[in-house]
Amino acid sequence: MLKSGREHSTMPNHVILMTLAFIAFMPIAILFMNAFKTTAEIGRNPLGVPSVWHIENFSEAWEVGRYGTILRNSVIITGGTIVGTLMLAGSGAYALARLKLRGGDLLTFYFLVGTSVPAQLFIVPLFIMWRNFGLINTQLGLIIIYCGLSSPFATYLLRSYMVSLPEEFMEAARVDGATNWHIFRHIILPLSWPGFVTAALVVGLSSWNEFLFAVTFLTDPSLKPISTGLYAFQSRYSRDWGLTNAGAVIMITPIIILFLILQRRFVEGLTQGGLKA
Amino acid sequence: MSKHSPRQAAHWQLFKTHFVEPLGRWIYIIPLLIVNAVVIIIPSVSGILYAFTDWNGTSEATFIGLDNFGRLFQDAVFFRAFINNVTYTGIFLIVPIAVGLLGAYLLAGIRHGQVVYRLLYFIPYMFASVINTQIWRYLLHPKHGVGAFLADYGITFLDFAVFGRRSTALYGIVFVDGWHTWGFLVVLYLAAMTQVDKELYEVARLDGATRLQQFRHVTLPSIRPTLIFSMLIIFIGTTLVFDHVYILTGGGPAHASEVMSTYLYTQAFENFDVGYAASIGVMLALWVSVPLSIFYVLRRRGWQI
């Protein structure tokens, strides 16, 4: 491979790669810049750098968009989903990977394809069930749905992690008379934490961003998470670009920061399916 | 406590091996199975059953056989939505995949800056649909966006309301969704391309293959499993697409950008035609299961796809 670098110049590569980077990055940069402009300046200078960095959009978005409440709701829903999913999927994956279950292979296959059952097939009956249970317009109701939606993927991911752990520790513990619970708690969990981190990131990102179920199951404005909260805000203040862009910036900044810190794990988790196949 | 008779002991032994011990293993997976049954399996089965009724969500449901499906086949809006879905999928299988392959192939050929490019390309994939739509509703706005900017220089092909015109609304949505997705494909393909045996390229070069020929005869066949898999997930994702359409146009103007998911949503939650909506859900599930089952059957037979 060393020779190839000398055979072709990589200059043309960089020209095209930079064009692609421009396409990916410029729209985001404009979103950020416009979050700091007054409406008047957006009219005069729609795509450029702000002449004055006007930070009042953020305090205004915080107040009229009720971003304090919305962010708290999103943290509760995302946090609840991560904890719930990891508990369900972690112990389930342990059973599939390490305890001999009759029909375990079939279940593993279900969790692999279970992610592809279209939401459109079950969202309406689920809505009616949730109405009967009194779970519409409750955050717990949405958390349970998110746990159900993300646990097949998380189970599959954690199972493949646990299968790859070395057998010796568990054999030794079993010879010493350790129970299933002891092995799970003191051997499997401490060894598979990287798998749990990856699963938590993927599950957390998808529930932070989720729209369809949030817009259907939470209509009370004081309970909405940030995705549908921002949507309502966009519809109400559609012409006030500074304000709605500030709202969008509030939503993506934590994601971008987390992504920059944990880039490798995010990429690994999100492309997992593609590489496994 | 009296001593167990041998017979009781044998019973206890049977009970232990067939019930207590399996329970000690199954207990770890039972909560997961219950949540999955409640959220996915039970409602999916009910969805299939509703499709054969005229239920409106509140009053008595009547079994009406295949009437909903008959109605679907005569429904011009559903037909429009299906065609739009097929168009959406078709464009997605060509443009973002081509850009993804191009980006990945070029990235595989450089040594410096690969990490930075990959990072930049991947960021839009992390964004929620509400963010993508916020960005592009502005950039495709006839007064502030790219179209207005170009119009200042006399280039006037883009200074109109892309999402408000019947002829362009759907393509506008596909573009926004494609912008969100292509970077993910670059990263996916790049990961597959770095696994390719370097010696294959060496041999191809010695045979005098150009870069294009190397791509065609070495890279593409080597990453085929990943490529096929990405086409499968794109087919599924674009068939079920909802967010971007719902937020940008709501399926309009005049159903010009309607897709099956948004039509289902309107039927269920605005017209309360639950039975009819359920039949759309069944059609969607069937359509998605076509490539999915072909894929798994071929895999099972050991095809290297």
Side-chain angles (χ1 to χ4, degrees), chain A residues 136-148:
Chain A
I136 303 284
N137 269 323
T138 66
Q139 289 171 340
L140 178 68
L142 193 63
I143 292 173
I144 297 174
I145 294 174
Y146 285 173
C147 288

Side-chain angles (χ1 to χ4, degrees), chain A:
Chain A
M1 211 50 198
L2 270 175
K3 258 193 225 151
S4 70
R6 285 179 205 127
E7 276 175 32
H8 315 284
S9 155
T10 55
M11 214 33 226
N13 285 29
H14 280 287
V15 172
I16 301 174
L17 289 170
M18 273 181 203
T19 312
L20 290 177
F22 181 83
I23 294 169
F25 187 70
M26 252 341 256
I28 304 171
I30 292 172
L31 176 83
F32 271 83
M33 291 191 301
N34 285 353
F36 291 95
K37 289 178 190 169
T38 60
T39 310
E41 178 162 9
I42 286 180
R44 279 196 315 274
N45 168 24
L47 301 173
V49 180
S51 57
V52 184
W53 293 79
H54 175 82
I55 56 164
E56 284 79 359
N57 286 336
F58 287 88
S59 45
E60 211 185 324
W62 197 269
E63 258 166 48
V64 297
R66 300 214 284 171
Y67 267 83
T69 316
I70 286 177
L71 272 178
R72 198 199 57 212
N73 293 341
S74 260
V75 169
I76 292 173
I77 293 168
T78 305
T81 304
I82 293 176
V83 172
T85 305
L86 291 188
M87 279 169 36
L88 293 170
S91 64
Y94 169 58
L96 291 174
R98 290 291 166 186
L99 307 173
K100 286 165 192 70
L101 299 181
R102 202 187 277 215
D105 290 344
L106 205 67
L107 283 175
T108 306
F109 183 72
Y110 164 73
F111 288 117
L112 179 62
V113 292
T115 38
S116 13
V117 177
Q120 283 79 358
L121 186 63
F122 58 82
I123 188 168
V124 180
L126 186 65
F127 183 84
I128 288 154
M129 255 169 85
W130 254 224
R131 197 178 62 190
N132 295 338
F133 294 164
L135 285 171
I136 303 284
N137 269 323
T138 66
Q139 289 171 340
L140 178 68
L142 193 63
I143 292 173
I144 297 174
I145 294 174
Y146 285 173
C147 288
L149 296 178
S150 51
S151 57
F153 169 77
T155 306
Y156 188 74
L157 191 128
L158 290 171
R159 191 201 80 101
S160 31
Y161 203 91
M162 290 175 187
V163 165
S164 70
L165 295 176
E167 196 81 42
E168 295 85 53
F169 299 109
M170 281 152 263
E171 283 311 313
R174 246 187 241 292
V175 170
D176 291 345
T179 58
N180 288 338
W181 171 250
H182 185 91
I183 292 173
F184 180 52
R185 175 74 188 72
H186 296 286
I187 298 176
I188 299 280
L189 284 186
L191 285 177
S192 33
W193 68 266
F196 278 90
V197 174
T198 306
L201 289 175
V202 175
V203 169
L205 180 72
S206 61
S207 48
W208 183 267
N209 286 348
E210 207 283 330
F211 184 80
L212 172 59
F213 285 89
V215 84
T216 311
F217 288 79
L218 288 183
T219 47
D220 181 343
S222 64
L223 296 174
K224 280 184 182 175
I226 196 155
S227 57
T228 54
L230 180 61
Y231 172 66
F233 194 46
Q234 285 168 344
S235 332
R236 209 148 26 110
Y237 300 92
S238 62
R239 259 161 240 196
D240 207 334
W241 293 104
L243 209 57
T244 49
N245 276 12
V249 166
I250 294 173
M251 181 174 182
I252 58 177
T253 304
I255 300 294
I256 293 178
I257 293 173
L258 208 58
F259 177 63
L260 292 178
I261 301 170
L262 293 165
Q263 196 222 137
R264 216 172 45 85
R265 273 194 202 292
F266 264 115
V267 172
E268 185 190 295
L270 290 167
T271 54
Q272 191 75 266
L275 296 176
K276 274 274 133 37

